[in-house]
Amino acid sequence: MTTYKSTCPLNCWDNCGFVVEVEDGKIVKIDGDKEHPITKGKICGRGRMLEARTNSDDRVLYPLKKIDGEFQRITWEQALTEISDKLADVKQTFGSTAVLHSHDYANGGLLTKIANRFFNSFGGATELIGSICWGSGIEAQNWDFGNAASHAPEDIYNSKNVIIWGRNVTRTNMHLFGYLQEVRKKGVKIIVIDPIYNGTAKIADSYISITPGMDGFLAIGIMKELIRLDLQDKTFLEKYTVGYEDLVEIIDSISIQKVEKLTNVPRETITKLAHVYSEGPTATYMGLGMQRYANGGNTIRLIDALVAVSGNVGIPGGGANFGNTQVGQSFDSEALTLPEKKKESRAFVMTEQAEKILTATEPPIKMIMVSCGNPLTQVPNTALVQEAFHSVDSIVVLEQFMTDTARLADYVLPSATVFEEEDIYYSSMFHHYVNYGPKLVEARGEAKSDVWIWTELAKRLGFGEDFNYAREEYIKMGLGSLQDEGITFETIKENSHMPLPVNLVPWHDFQFTTPSGKFEFTSAIGEMKGYDGRLQLSYPRESVYTDKELARKYPYSLLTIHPLRSNHSQHYHLIESLQTVKVEVSKDIAENLGLLPNDIVRVFNERGEIKGKVQILKESSPNIVCIDEGQWHIFGGSVNSLTPHEVSDNGLGSSLYDCLVGIEKV
Ligand code: SF4
């Protein structure tokens, strides 16, 4: 048995350090690396499951082609020749953008960028932009600050108060939970604002229940109280912001009573929160769910505005912590992706990909290549995604298992797992360490790394010279921008992890990267993109305030939260107890409909339906239904059969939480 350091590749806040045991060329155990400065030896069950993923008997180990509706094993030579011929044909007949590259973030490795190198060298393709996950929030922070940058995890030691707003860190960000437990003992006040009383709320000094989709109104209410009490940071507002008068106009246009009604948060709580924000440093950690609404970008912008008005921007212990994109921006992406090779381009917003596939002309989408993603399960409005994927001539999926998307493909190409290829890994969400992931075992069967697959296709398509590099050389290209900081492939390999040179307290110099160089309450970037750059009083698309008739028909808000034990859809097939749909309902729904635990219910709206077993939430805002995202079709189906695919208000995010449903006992 030999022990190696490695890292978790999953799309998660924490990007943990691993210690992996290998015996006879097989991964036998995964544990936490106690020497990792942030994750300190603790990992979650999703990370441990990577051993089962690697060794599973159900892995796709050979190239497969669907012939007469059945998958049959073929050789790599046949697969690569046929796929490259199809790509060449489509490009010649319709142009390169008739190929859609549908991808997501299943793997946090730097070399996933090689897929973009392939499509750029191909001459361009239709690419996905924005994100189902956090697109609106990132765009919102780009408008306000010029970038989405979080404070370093250790900066929480400088906070007096911590607001956890819509992020269940026990489930999705376990190392922040560790920090919370630690600072709480030192007297830091922790407040959780969330529609659901979750594991994080259990350790908080106060839990504030809020109506889903109304978080922006709560931020307005708190700002209203800050101004009424004359507690706003006047120096910061005068010297470092633009558009404050527009913000005040919005704040003045709504009464505190209306805020109470919309949010279901009483006035005295709002006033207390104003004091908490003004008696800082107060750190705000936002979750991702509240920006998956039609008003999601505006929601994050209003919380950013609250952090700014209360003087918590750019100071140790403060911050509007959402994503930390400065981490990913440290790398030399262009060296890896060769954007100058692109001759044609077209982009679909990720959440809208199905609708765009169905309506695209000049050229239509003829072929889809899927990597690092499972759109059939993860993209909103499953029925539309199915229709869209069925409508194209050829689908190629790079995968490790027969996911819902792989089953729909014409070709499935077996991908290697994290332990079967060398890469470096990072997460642009929380901490700023890059981790080394060595190749520890040979890829099983005929599985190959995605880099190998793109290289072989490139060779057959005549641009192999762009792919004439070893993995190590690609990693070094991506690290070119960090050379002067002493961060090289060798130092990362030697230390297993290295801190990247990011701002640990973003905006500490009050030099914002917006067009004005200031924090922008009224966004010039927004205006340049054709939006109203001012903050708004905006509502979810599906709510009693925007569509009374819809709300009468479908009275409950559906939240599609991350599963505890699976990273999105990645582990459901490996854990038997996950293979039923769990429908969590708020107490009031259970009482009104006479539902008991384990009753089977049908949850439905005009987009689709899903059946599952009832569980009753202990404490939450009323009228809430929660179903974990990621469930496979064979185990009951994805909750996305209910969710909408329309974009959020700033154009780059999803609105999949903006979803009303009905429910009935079956
Ligand atoms: S899923 Fe997240 S918390 Fe779990 S091991 Fe991986 S990085 Fe760590």
Side-chain angles (χ1 to χ4, degrees):
M1 178 119 59
T2 318
T3 302
Y4 300 91
K5 290 201 176 183
S6 181
T7 184
C8 185
L10 297 174
N11 180 11
C12 168
W13 298 84
D14 294 46
N15 189 215
C16 293
F18 280 170
V19 170
V20 181
E21 290 177 12
V22 180
E23 192 170 16
D24 297 333
K26 191 177 169 189
I27 304 295
V28 291
K29 194 175 173 207
I30 299 168
D31 225 321
D33 173 11
K34 292 194 174 72
E35 289 170 9
H36 193 284
I38 303 293
T39 64
K40 296 173 186 162
K42 293 204 172 77
I43 62 168
C44 80
R46 299 185 296 271
R48 289 182 204 281
M49 281 307 290
L50 292 166
E51 180 264 310
R53 266 187 81 84
T54 304
N55 295 323
S56 169
D57 291 339
D58 295 334
R59 257 183 78 179
V60 179
L61 295 178
Y62 305 98
L64 301 173
K65 178 182 181 183
K66 198 181 270 163
I67 301 169
D68 297 329
E70 296 289 327
F71 281 107
Q72 292 185 17
R73 179 177 168 180
I74 57 171
T75 62
W76 269 112
E77 188 50 44
Q78 183 184 349
L80 295 165
T81 305
E82 290 182 11
I83 294 165
S84 52
D85 285 350
K86 278 177 196 291
L87 283 164
D89 279 355
V90 170
K91 182 177 172 182
Q92 195 180 5
T93 315
F94 300 96
S96 64
T97 55
V99 178
L100 169 69
H101 177 214
S102 178
H103 60 85
D104 212 316
Y105 298 96
N107 179 302
L110 181 70
L111 297 196
T112 54
K113 292 184 191 294
I114 297 299
N116 301 79
R117 184 184 188 92
F118 175 83
F119 287 106
N120 287 337
S121 293
F122 180 62
T126 298
E127 285 288 334
L128 298 181
I129 55 167
S131 160
I132 295 164
C133 180
W134 67 350
S136 339
I138 296 294
E139 181 71 349
Q141 294 213 315
N142 286 339
W143 289 17
D144 296 339
F145 298 95
N147 200 4
S150 286
H151 288 224
E154 297 93 335
D155 185 57
I156 199 167
Y157 297 131
N158 296 314
S159 302
K160 190 172 166 200
N161 310 298
V162 176
I163 312 285
I164 305 291
W165 200 323
R167 188 190 302 186
N168 182 5
V169 300
T170 52
R171 192 176 273 219
T172 56
N173 190 189
M174 64 181 278
H175 297 92
L176 175 56
F177 188 67
Y179 283 104
L180 290 179
Q181 286 175 307
E182 210 183 313
V183 297
R184 186 172 178 262
K185 285 187 198 138
K186 294 178 183 155
V188 172
K189 187 187 275 182
I190 297 168
I191 296 171
V192 167
I193 303 170
D194 203 293
I196 300 168
Y197 182 81
N198 54 34
T200 317
K202 283 184 191 156
I203 65 152
D205 295 279
S206 357
Y207 162 65
I208 297 164
S209 162
I210 184 166
T211 306
M214 297 299 177
D215 306 81
F217 287 101
L218 180 58
I220 289 178
I222 303 168
M223 286 189 277
K224 214 171 167 61
E225 288 298 86
L226 278 169
I227 294 167
R228 182 181 68 80
L229 298 164
D230 202 25
L231 295 173
Q232 70 276 42
D233 184 336
K234 291 180 191 133
T235 311
F236 178 78
L237 292 170
E238 274 161 30
K239 287 175 81 173
Y240 303 117
T241 71
V242 293
Y244 181 58
E245 56 295 339
D246 291 342
L247 171 68
V248 171
E249 202 177 301
I250 286 289
I251 292 172
D252 287 346
S253 70
I254 183 168
S255 70
I256 197 78
Q257 291 75 20
K258 181 95 187 268
V259 170
E260 285 182 281
K261 186 171 172 231
L262 292 171
T263 59
N264 213 10
V265 179
R267 171 154 193 182
E268 55 275 21
T269 306
I270 299 173
T271 311
K272 272 187 202 152
L273 282 168
H275 285 290
V276 167
Y277 267 98
S278 69
E279 291 157 15
T282 297
T284 305
Y285 291 87
M286 292 175 258
L288 307 185
M290 64 185 161
Q291 44 91 62
R292 295 181 191 135
Y293 286 86
N295 61 344
N298 191 61
T299 293
I300 300 301
R301 294 198 65 212
L302 284 166
I303 297 174
D304 290 347
L306 164 61
V307 175
V309 169
S310 60
N312 284 294
V313 167
I315 60 163
N321 302 291
F322 179 76
N324 204 7
T325 48
Q326 52 176 345
V327 175
Q329 289 159 358
S330 307
F331 302 100
D332 190 346
S333 291
E334 293 196 354
L336 284 172
T337 60
L338 305 180
E340 69 281 2
K341 295 266 174 179
K342 194 190 295 189
K343 295 194 183 72
E344 295 176 46
S345 68
R346 180 168 64 181
F348 295 165
V349 180
M350 192 181 270
T351 189
E352 289 185 311
Q353 61 187 285
E355 186 188 325
K356 297 290 182 188
I357 291 166
L358 288 166
T359 55
T361 54
E362 298 176 16
I365 296 296
K366 305 302 282 182
M367 186 168 180
I368 304 178
M369 302 281 290
V370 182
S371 65
C372 284
N374 183 9
L376 262 291
T377 304
Q378 299 304 130
V379 174
N381 200 343
T382 309
L384 198 70
V385 182
Q386 270 168 350
E387 188 188 339
F389 275 63
H390 276 296
S391 74
V392 299
D393 295 347
S394 307
I395 300 174
V396 179
V397 176
L398 283 61
E399 247 306 346
Q400 294 166 356
F401 291 91
M402 290 306 288
T403 61
D404 291 356
T405 308
R407 282 172 203 276
L408 212 73
D410 300 291
Y411 295 88
V412 182
L413 303 181
S415 276
T417 69
V418 54
F419 306 119
E420 296 166 345
E421 58 191 15
E422 182 181 50
D423 206 343
I424 55 171
Y425 297 82
Y426 61 93
S427 163
S428 288
M429 299 167 86
F430 181 49
H431 68 73
H432 57 286
Y433 283 79
V434 57
N435 296 332
Y436 177 61
K439 178 175 175 176
L440 298 179
V441 292
E442 288 304 319
R444 290 180 53 211
E446 292 181 8
K448 300 285 184 189
S449 74
D450 287 16
V451 172
W452 183 88
I453 297 170
W454 298 123
T455 302
E456 290 301 314
L457 288 171
K459 280 187 205 162
R460 285 161 179 79
L461 284 159
F463 51 88
E465 74 280 4
D466 292 343
F467 286 79
N468 217 0
Y469 301 94
R471 287 189 80 86
E472 189 175 318
E473 290 174 292
Y474 284 125
I475 297 174
K476 286 180 177 171
M477 280 178 207
L479 291 170
S481 45
L482 293 160
Q483 206 92 26
D484 294 346
E485 309 283 344
I487 299 169
T488 63
F489 179 62
E490 287 75 23
T491 55
I492 297 171
K493 202 168 164 175
E494 196 182 315
N495 296 294
S496 298
H497 49 257
M498 288 287 284
L500 294 165
V502 301
N503 281 319
L504 305 181
V505 176
W507 321 117
H508 59 91
D509 52 3
F510 303 119
Q511 301 294 307
F512 298 93
T513 47
T514 53
S516 64
K518 297 189 172 187
F519 179 95
E520 296 193 358
F521 292 110
T522 296
S523 166
I525 296 177
E527 282 167 1
M528 280 186 270
K529 290 187 172 185
Y531 296 91
D532 185 340
R534 290 173 302 176
L535 288 154
Q536 313 285 327
L537 295 183
S538 67
Y539 295 81
R541 192 181 292 117
E542 297 192 6
S543 81
V544 71
Y545 300 101
T546 34
D547 192 339
K548 283 199 170 51
E549 201 182 318
L550 191 78
R552 251 197 304 277
K553 230 164 142 186
Y554 307 116
Y556 311 119
S557 293
L558 174 70
L559 306 180
T560 65
I561 55 181
H562 286 322
L564 176 65
R565 299 179 64 202
S566 177
N567 199 263
H568 305 296
S569 63
Q570 290 186 30
H571 298 344
Y572 277 90
H573 58 305
L574 302 169
I575 306 173
E576 215 178 315
S577 60
L578 291 185
Q579 293 166 4
T580 48
V581 176
K582 178 179 71 179
V583 179
E584 294 178 291
V585 299
S586 51
K587 270 186 191 160
D588 58 303
I589 299 181
E591 278 163 22
N592 293 341
L593 301 183
L595 300 177
L596 296 171
N598 295 322
D599 279 349
I600 304 292
V601 287
R602 186 174 85 94
V603 184
F604 56 93
N605 61 19
E606 262 142 43
R607 289 175 286 267
E609 67 166 36
I610 189 165
K611 290 188 185 116
K613 259 188 196 173
V614 167
Q615 287 186 12
I616 299 168
L617 290 164
K618 283 199 177 70
E619 192 180 337
S620 70
S621 184
N623 296 322
I624 285 181
V625 177
C626 281
I627 302 178
D628 286 358
E629 49 97 10
Q631 185 62 276
W632 292 34
H633 180 70
I634 49 171
F635 305 129
S638 167
V639 69
N640 281 321
S641 57
L642 298 163
T643 58
H645 68 279
E646 283 83 4
V647 284
S648 60
D649 48 0
N650 60 26
L652 287 182
S654 70
S655 58
L656 59 89
Y657 272 44
D658 202 332
C659 180
L660 290 177
V661 293
I663 182 165
E664 65 185 19
K665 205 160 160 176
V666 184

